[in-house]
Amino acid sequence: MLKSKIDKALREENKTASDLIKFIGMKDAGYYTMLKRGDLKLSTLKNIAIFLKKPIIYFIETEEKIHSPGKVEDNAVTYKTSSIEITLLNQRIHDLERIISLQDEEILHLKNTKQKQK
């Protein structure tokens, strides 16, 4: 996905991958390995964005499809999000699950205490 976005931006700017590679100070092999792995430093992404005159978010947005139960795929809603947003949402989900677990433990403790008092 990242490679296709970079390629598209290169075409829009009438630049080549070689131009970009020189600008960001990488060797060809390192650049293509980075794209293949999808693993790059934020500073590298920032330099790519500067060279291609795009906001950083352009390179990290993804399109996801949300399906409602029982509906066909044509009715799926497409939305844009970023991997950063997904990471933050996953962390929030984890935190909420932990809170629920602690509340469940407290409820169980209160029930046991109440039963012992009878």
Side-chain angles (χ1 to χ4, degrees):
M1 168 99 62
L2 178 61
K3 183 179 183 321
S4 63
K5 288 192 173 198
I6 291 173
D7 289 343
K8 180 181 177 189
L10 284 168
R11 285 189 302 274
E12 290 171 358
E13 291 295 319
N14 293 317
K15 305 279 185 181
T16 66
S18 295
D19 297 331
L20 174 61
I21 292 166
K22 287 177 190 169
F23 181 82
I24 61 176
M26 293 185 78
K27 295 185 180 189
D28 288 6
Y31 172 78
Y32 290 108
T33 300
M34 173 191 71
L35 288 182
K36 183 178 179 182
R37 290 182 184 163
D39 184 26
L40 65 157
K41 294 178 183 178
L42 184 56
S43 59
T44 302
L45 184 60
K46 180 181 174 186
N47 287 329
I48 291 170
I50 290 168
F51 181 78
L52 296 173
K53 301 175 185 163
K54 298 279 187 192
I56 288 178
I57 194 74
Y58 171 85
F59 299 101
I60 57 178
E61 281 183 333
T62 59
E63 289 193 0
E64 307 279 339
K65 287 196 180 275
I66 301 295
H67 300 279
S68 298
K71 293 190 176 182
V72 294
E73 188 168 324
D74 290 343
N75 291 336
V77 176
T78 301
Y79 71 97
K80 287 188 176 184
T81 188
S82 69
S83 57
I84 294 168
E85 290 171 315
I86 291 170
T87 301
L88 292 172
L89 288 171
N90 283 334
Q91 181 61 47
R92 183 69 178 143
I93 289 168
H94 175 75
D95 292 346
L96 291 171
E97 287 173 340
R98 181 70 182 133
I99 289 168
I100 291 168
S101 175
L102 291 171
Q103 288 175 338
D104 287 344
E105 290 175 14
E106 181 66 18
I107 290 169
L108 184 60
H109 174 73
L110 291 171
K111 283 181 178 178
N112 288 338
T113 303
K114 187 175 180 180
Q115 287 177 353
K116 289 179 182 178
Q117 290 175 352
K118 288 183 179 183

